[in-house]
Each structure stands twice: as structure tokens, then as C-alpha cells.
Amino acid sequence: EAGVVQSPRYKIIEKKQPVAFWCNPISGHNTLYWYLQNLGQGPELLIRYENEEAVDDSQLPKDRFSAERLKGVDSTLKIQPAELGDSAVYLCASSSRAASGLYNEQFFGPGTRLTVL
Amino acid sequence: AQSVTQPDIHITVSEGASLELRCNYSYGATPYLFWYVQSPGQGLQLLLKYFSGDTLVQGIKGFEAEFKRSQSSFNLRKPSVHWSDAAEYFCALYNAGNMLTFGGGTRLMVKP
């Protein structure tokens, strides 16, 4: 079974430019997460989707960040315009609902490393 | 508010030596706790998890962790470290809102 796929793996842009990251979750997983991981820190949730609906985007900086998950499968995270402080790794994860409904193991992609110059 | 603290930013051990990585949590209810490993350029891989029951849990790659409610800790251990274990390790706590809260991570270096 294929894991979570992310592209590109690396991206270097100049500040004020736009950038987009793509994520393809594990087949059948209805929940998708985007995390931000700053250097030397643990991941922090940006947004969570249940199918097409963003159910938790409280940590997403909405002035410059946007995300979408059309058709409830693939997702795109966009930054426009990018700032120097956006340099980080952007991780995507997906999960399916466990039988108990209490816990959904999250499977992580390899991430996209963004460098803003 | 929930939080996870990993007090050691870096740890260096010799190959073959034992390892213990510390994790402390703050949570108002019974926690679901996890340890993840992240190798350079790789995503996070789940090593083990604790939900309830036996407080000593076994994971992959020879790792184990012990949940101690009285100390609010969930330390990761391995009896004999291999060079391939060099990576960053993250402790995480899961809440009923389907959220994972991660610690800051501990970078493990292994000396030959």
C-alpha cells in the first residue's frame, strides 16, 4: 500500500513569491492534516480536513495561507506571499476512522522543505 | 491546556549502550501517548503507543516505553542502540479532538 505522497520534496523561493504544496493521502483515508515543522521543533497542526470540510483551521494564518481539499482526496496548501519566517518543513498526514471511533492513527508523508530567501 | 515536554534536545550514546529518552506530559484526562521517529528527509514513523492497560509497551525496532501516571512521564528506552537509530525522536499526546500535540523532539546521535 502506498503511503502519503507529498510534492515537491524541496522548494526554494524568494520572499513575496507564492508557493504551493500538494498531498495525496493514503487511499480511503477521509481525514487529512497539514502540519508545520520549524527547525528543531515538533510538528504543529495547521489544518485538519474531514473529507472536503476543514474542521480545524484555527492555527492556519489566514492572511497568507490557504488550503483546499477538492473531492475529499488530494489537498493543496498555498502561501501567498511567502515570508522569510515561512521557511520550514510542511508535513501532510492522513488517517481513517478506527473501529472504536476513538483514535485514528495518523500516517505521515515525507514533507516539503521550504526555503524562503 | 495539554502539553508535551522533552527535556533533552540532544543525546549522544555509544553504539551498543542503553538509551532512555525522556517525555513529560500535561493533560487533564487519561492520555493517549506516542513515540515517533524521524530520520533525515523522512516522515514521522510511529514507534509505539499507549492507550491503557499494561504500562510497559513494546514497539518496533526493539524500543519500549513505560507510562508512569504519578510522574506524568512516558520515557522511551532501548537496551542496545544501533548506529541506524540515529534520528530525531518525538513524543506526542492525543486528545479526543483528534489532535496530536508533539514535544520539541530529542536528536539522538550514536558514536561508533
Side-chain angles (χ1 to χ4, degrees):
Chain A
E1 176 179 281
V4 176
V5 179
Q6 291 188 248
S7 69
R9 294 292 311 278
Y10 304 91
K11 188 73 175 179
I12 301 174
I13 61 172
E14 294 187 348
K15 63 181 181 182
K16 301 185 181 179
Q17 294 300 306
V19 64
F21 315 126
W22 176 80
C23 174
N24 179 238
I26 292 174
S27 178
H29 282 190
N30 63 323
T31 307
L32 185 145
Y33 314 77
W34 282 103
Y35 287 88
L36 166 68
Q37 185 177 20
N38 286 306
L39 184 64
Q41 298 182 25
E44 300 173 6
L45 182 70
L46 286 173
I47 188 169
R48 174 169 65 97
Y49 280 93
E50 295 287 349
N51 300 308
E52 303 89 354
E53 183 182 359
V55 296
D56 185 353
D57 64 354
S58 58
Q59 301 303 311
L60 189 73
K62 298 179 182 64
D63 57 336
R64 297 184 299 107
F65 286 66
S66 64
E68 61 182 12
R69 191 183 184 198
L70 301 176
K71 302 181 180 179
V73 181
D74 295 0
S75 178
T76 302
L77 178 69
K78 299 178 182 178
I79 308 175
Q80 182 170 12
E83 297 179 352
L84 295 177
D86 297 330
S87 296
V89 175
Y90 293 83
L91 293 168
C92 180
S94 69
S95 68
S96 62
R97 187 161 298 280
S100 66
L102 294 177
Y103 166 65
N104 312 334
E105 180 172 346
Q106 296 181 26
F107 295 84
F108 286 82
T112 296
R113 180 175 295 277
L114 173 67
T115 301
V116 182
L117 303 177
Chain B
Q2 62 190 57
S3 65
V4 178
T5 302
Q6 294 179 244
D8 305 303
I9 298 175
H10 295 99
I11 282 186
T12 301
V13 299
S14 298
E15 191 168 16
S18 63
L19 170 70
E20 183 169 24
L21 302 182
R22 297 184 291 164
C23 172
N24 295 101
Y25 69 90
S26 174
Y27 188 57
T30 300
Y32 290 178
L33 294 162
F34 307 83
W35 276 99
Y36 286 85
V37 61
Q38 187 178 34
S39 298
Q42 303 295 316
L44 292 155
Q45 181 183 22
L46 182 65
L47 285 176
L48 48 78
K49 58 194 175 194
Y50 170 78
F51 289 170
S52 64
D54 193 346
T55 56
L56 185 63
V57 294
Q58 302 297 319
I60 62 172
K61 304 184 180 186
F63 285 92
E64 66 179 25
E66 186 171 13
F67 172 66
K68 294 185 177 180
R69 184 185 300 274
S70 62
Q71 298 179 18
S72 297
S73 69
F74 187 56
N75 294 349
L76 182 71
R77 301 194 294 246
K78 186 169 184 178
S80 178
V81 170
H82 187 261
W83 65 266
S84 61
D85 293 324
E88 187 136 24
Y89 292 79
F90 293 95
C91 182
L93 181 154
Y94 176 83
N95 71 15
N98 205 17
M99 279 188 58
L100 277 175
T101 298
F102 287 88
T106 297
R107 180 166 296 279
L108 173 66
M109 290 171 279
V110 180
K111 294 189 300 184

